[in-house]
Amino acid sequence: MEQRGCRAWRERQPSVTYMVALIFFWSGASAQIRYSISEELKEGTVVGNIAKDLGIDLSTLKERGFRIVSGSTEPLFQLNQNDGILYVTRKIDREEVCERSSVCLINLKTVLENPLEIHYVSVEVLDVNDHSPSFPEKEKRLEISESALPGARFQLQAARDPDSGPYSVQQYKLSNNDHFRIEVKDRGEDRKMPILILQKQLDRESAKDHRLLLTAIDGGKPARSGTVEIIVEVLDVNDNSPVFTKDAYSVMLGENSPVGATVIQVKATDLDEDANGEIIYSFGNGVDDKLLRLFGLDPNTGELTVKGLIDYEVHNIYDIDIQASDKGTVPLTTDKSVIVKIIDVNDNAPEIEVTSFSKAIPEDSKPGTTVALISVNDLDSGLNGKVICSVLEDLPFKLMSSLQDNMYSVVTKSPLDREKVSQYDLTIVAKDAGQPSLSSVKTISVVVSDVNDNSPEFSLSSYTFYVTENNHPGASVFSVSASDRDIDENALISYHILRDGGDVNKWASFLNINSENGNISALKSFDFETLKTFQFQVVATDSGIPSLSSNVTINVFILDQNDNAPVILYPVSANGSAEGVEEIPRNVNAGHLVTKDR
């Protein structure tokens, strides 16, 4: 892919206008860059090196998950995670992407995780002259009375060119003739309407019809063109055109007006009599299907009514051509423009979008740590589209607005403690300033991840155990237990006996402890007659990095068993053994020692 991108860059470089504009936002968390390219570039053409233009270390791109946050539509661009180069994924038709917009901008969001960064990339698609003007019909027939006076005007159907700006229709040319000339009326939005003007009065007896060739030419270099043949049939009747009662019509219309509501009523008069003076109204040739779906016109009264959904966010002004025609044998027609300005109402609730989100945040994160980036959008305008965003609950998080409108970051405002709260559900509320205002909410869950900030705790501050002497060596005699309020590895405890060689722990060498469960076993048999009590210390250590530990003192008392027979100590015989007979004087006092055993 990298080789193909480099090759496409060399092949297509003359077709790519490379422009970089950087705008940095809060603390390096966001930046914006802009490129310009021509439409119809081949797949794989390089747009620009985002990483290089932003000064991002190329070696960290893949590890940090450098990517484009795509929308629901098929992506037009692809980002190479190895070198940060932005490529065209398929041919871009500017007319398809932006219709007839004067500036075609495609906005992309790129995200770097760990640490979190978001960058905005705008790609302007420049128009090329890849379409020729075309007329709705190949042949247009007009009926003009021979009584029509020089200066009479006849509006023709305009040619359409999907290209915009200088590549749209720029001029019309009419084939050489003695009776007609062409005039162009600029209606804005790349709409130039051709009007056929009579220069010399017609004579049906001299010529029944006139054949003219109208050519539409765009502004490309070289220019493209399209033609329509105009056939003018000369009739001998009706010599007065309808005249509207007003020079201009303009009206304000609220969006979401109900179907059937009256927008405005136009009126025209005709000095002729009978059928030649009766007026019927219709939409002009310049009215397209979109307008026909939104507005209706009563042909008899000239009343313009609402026919479809009027949405300010789709279009805020309409220029509607209305024609007044008489009913003469050769109808005469006059056109008039009606300007309908749409008034915005607050009918769109704000939309909340989480552009990037850290699913878990360590509990030792400092206040001000970014948790998520949030953007809000309201399709309304003015105060109806001004949005205020806030966090609903009293939680250790707050919203920070950015330099870019309607962009916020969710940051911590106080220390976190996973052992108290391990997960927070934040409710983000976006409310516009309309009357009445509209709002929307979005909930995001923030998980607090554990750090090793708790030492193991023994169940008792000290332990006292009693062991009967003559115990079996190797058998468990007692056990200790500790717990840790942390989780996972931070709460995994191991035990060992402190053997520092001091007097306190000198008997610890006769003991062994199971490092996993704290069971303590004696390595030898205790003898009450030799040892009656001793103490030692056990240490509990968790598996965190770095690990934490605590110790406890254990007092052991040896219990006596009847394991020794009595021994006669006196008198002793000549061979060293005690004799069973002892002689005593006849007259002895009470308490006199006779003999002694042990």
Side-chain angles (χ1 to χ4, degrees):
M1 180 65 186
E2 183 177 359
Q3 293 177 352
R4 185 184 66 179
C6 293
R7 185 171 60 254
W9 172 265
R10 292 192 295 269
E11 294 175 352
R12 281 292 187 176
Q13 191 173 6
S15 300
V16 178
T17 302
Y18 185 68
M19 177 181 68
V20 179
L22 287 175
I23 303 174
F24 288 90
F25 302 115
W26 71 92
S27 302
S30 178
Q32 180 167 314
I33 190 170
R34 179 167 174 172
Y35 301 101
S36 293
I37 64 171
S38 298
E39 65 171 326
E40 303 295 339
L41 294 180
K42 290 182 178 180
E43 176 185 353
T45 300
V46 173
V47 178
N49 193 321
I50 299 177
K52 178 180 178 182
D53 294 334
L54 292 174
I56 301 173
D57 187 0
L58 297 180
S59 65
T60 65
L61 294 181
K62 196 165 186 179
E63 179 182 350
R64 295 180 66 188
F66 194 28
R67 58 189 174 83
I68 296 176
V69 181
S70 301
S72 58
T73 57
E74 181 182 356
L76 300 174
F77 304 95
Q78 180 179 353
L79 183 61
N80 191 318
Q81 286 191 339
N82 295 319
D83 54 16
I85 294 179
L86 185 67
Y87 300 90
V88 176
T89 58
R90 61 183 176 89
K91 280 190 176 182
I92 300 175
D93 186 347
R94 184 184 186 278
E95 288 70 38
E96 177 184 346
V97 174
C98 297
E99 293 188 355
R100 300 181 65 84
S101 299
S102 58
V103 178
C104 181
L105 281 179
I106 300 174
N107 295 312
L108 307 174
K109 297 176 185 177
T110 64
V111 170
L112 285 157
E113 302 286 354
N114 301 320
L116 183 62
E117 291 183 26
I118 182 170
H119 302 287
Y120 297 88
V121 179
S122 296
V123 181
E124 181 182 6
V125 181
L126 305 177
D127 195 17
V128 298
N129 192 24
D130 57 343
H131 295 87
S132 298
S134 63
F135 290 89
E137 301 172 320
K138 294 297 182 182
E139 181 181 280
K140 177 65 178 177
R141 290 184 174 271
L142 293 177
E143 294 180 344
I144 302 177
S145 171
E146 64 176 339
S147 61
L149 299 176
R153 302 163 64 87
F154 306 92
Q155 182 172 305
L156 304 175
Q157 288 182 303
R160 298 293 185 186
D161 192 330
D163 296 320
S164 62
Y167 300 133
S168 63
V169 175
Q170 298 298 310
Q171 60 177 315
Y172 291 89
K173 289 185 178 180
L174 190 65
S175 57
N176 292 331
N177 67 96
D178 296 329
H179 293 86
F180 298 94
R181 66 180 177 87
I182 201 72
E183 182 177 298
V184 179
K185 182 178 182 181
D186 193 345
R187 304 299 293 274
E189 296 184 354
D190 297 336
R191 293 176 60 198
K192 289 179 169 56
M193 306 298 298
I195 300 174
L196 191 66
I197 300 177
L198 184 63
Q199 294 188 115
K200 179 181 178 181
Q201 194 164 8
L202 302 173
D203 185 358
R204 184 176 182 277
E205 287 67 36
S206 298
K208 293 183 178 181
D209 59 53
H210 298 266
R211 292 182 178 270
L212 310 171
L213 186 66
L214 179 63
T215 303
I217 305 171
D218 66 20
K221 293 182 180 181
R224 293 172 176 260
S225 63
T227 60
V228 61
E229 185 179 25
I230 302 173
I231 302 175
V232 179
E233 297 179 359
V234 183
L235 302 177
D236 186 22
V237 280
N238 200 10
D239 57 354
N240 285 288
S241 300
V243 177
F244 284 92
T245 56
K246 290 184 178 181
D247 293 334
Y249 289 93
S250 180
V251 65
M252 307 290 287
L253 177 66
E255 70 170 323
N256 301 326
S257 295
V259 174
T262 298
V263 180
I264 196 173
Q265 186 173 13
V266 298
K267 186 174 179 60
T269 59
D270 195 310
L271 297 178
D272 295 321
E273 295 181 352
D274 300 327
N276 293 334
E278 294 181 14
I279 306 295
I280 57 173
Y281 302 93
S282 63
F283 288 113
N285 292 326
V287 176
D288 56 22
D289 292 340
K290 292 182 180 179
L291 284 176
L292 293 177
R293 289 193 293 267
L294 296 176
F295 299 98
L297 181 64
D298 190 311
N300 298 314
T301 64
E303 183 181 24
L304 185 67
T305 58
V306 175
K307 185 178 178 182
L309 177 62
I310 305 300
D311 191 346
Y312 175 89
E313 287 70 42
V314 175
H315 217 69
N316 59 10
I317 189 170
Y318 295 94
D319 187 348
I320 305 174
D321 287 329
I322 294 180
Q323 291 183 344
S325 302
D326 59 33
K327 295 183 180 180
T329 305
V330 181
L332 296 180
T333 300
T334 301
D335 65 282
K336 184 65 65 175
S337 177
V338 177
I339 304 299
V340 181
K341 298 179 180 179
I342 308 302
I343 303 173
D344 184 37
V345 298
N346 193 24
D347 60 342
N348 290 282
E351 297 177 353
I352 304 174
E353 179 186 2
V354 179
T355 59
S356 189
F357 177 53
S358 297
K359 293 184 178 180
I361 181 170
E363 61 178 319
D364 61 349
S365 297
K366 295 181 180 179
T369 300
T370 300
V371 177
L373 296 178
I374 293 175
S375 60
V376 294
N377 183 45
D378 195 311
L379 297 177
D380 295 315
S381 62
L383 289 177
N384 295 334
K386 184 175 179 60
V387 180
I388 299 174
C389 205
S390 61
V391 177
L392 182 62
E393 303 90 351
D394 184 15
L395 298 175
F397 301 93
K398 64 181 179 179
L399 286 178
M400 298 288 291
S401 59
S402 69
L403 296 178
Q404 184 170 341
D405 290 341
N406 297 333
M407 195 72 192
Y408 298 86
S409 59
V410 180
V411 300
T412 57
K413 68 177 182 180
S414 59
L416 306 175
D417 188 348
R418 189 207 65 82
E419 285 70 42
K420 293 181 179 179
V421 181
S422 61
Q423 179 174 319
Y424 293 92
D425 292 326
L426 278 71
T427 302
I428 309 299
V429 180
K431 185 177 182 181
D432 63 30
Q435 292 295 332
S437 65
L438 299 177
S439 63
S440 58
V441 298
K442 192 175 189 69
T443 300
I444 61 175
S445 294
V446 179
V447 176
V448 181
S449 61
D450 186 46
V451 296
N452 194 26
D453 57 351
N454 290 280
S455 300
E457 297 178 357
F458 285 93
S459 56
L460 297 174
S461 59
S462 65
Y463 289 85
T464 299
F465 295 105
Y466 297 88
V467 180
T468 303
E469 66 173 333
N470 299 321
N471 56 292
H472 295 290
S476 177
V477 290
F478 44 80
S479 66
V480 296
S481 177
S483 60
D484 196 311
R485 290 189 295 166
D486 295 318
I487 60 174
D488 299 331
E489 293 295 325
N490 296 331
L492 186 61
I493 298 174
S494 62
Y495 303 90
H496 72 272
I497 296 174
L498 186 63
R499 308 179 192 274
D500 58 1
D503 291 339
V504 175
N505 296 300
K506 67 180 181 178
W507 298 103
S509 60
F510 300 113
L511 301 172
N512 187 39
I513 190 168
N514 188 312
S515 62
E516 295 182 357
N517 57 27
N519 288 338
I520 300 175
S521 58
L523 300 178
K524 62 170 287 184
S525 234
F526 294 111
D527 185 2
F528 175 82
E529 285 70 30
T530 303
L531 177 67
K532 293 180 174 56
T533 182
F534 67 93
Q535 66 176 201
F536 63 97
Q537 290 184 316
V538 173
V539 180
T541 305
D542 62 32
S543 300
I545 300 176
S547 62
L548 300 176
S549 63
S550 60
N551 55 16
V552 66
T553 299
I554 300 176
N555 299 293
V556 181
F557 292 89
I558 310 302
L559 299 179
D560 186 30
Q561 276 188 327
N562 190 17
D563 58 346
N564 291 284
V567 176
I568 303 298
L569 300 178
Y570 180 85
V572 180
S573 65
N575 60 7
S577 63
E579 294 182 350
V581 178
E582 178 66 21
E583 294 181 357
I584 60 174
R586 181 185 299 268
N587 297 316
V588 294
N589 295 326
H592 178 80
L593 175 64
V594 177
T595 186
K596 182 167 63 175
D597 65 3
R598 62 176 182 182

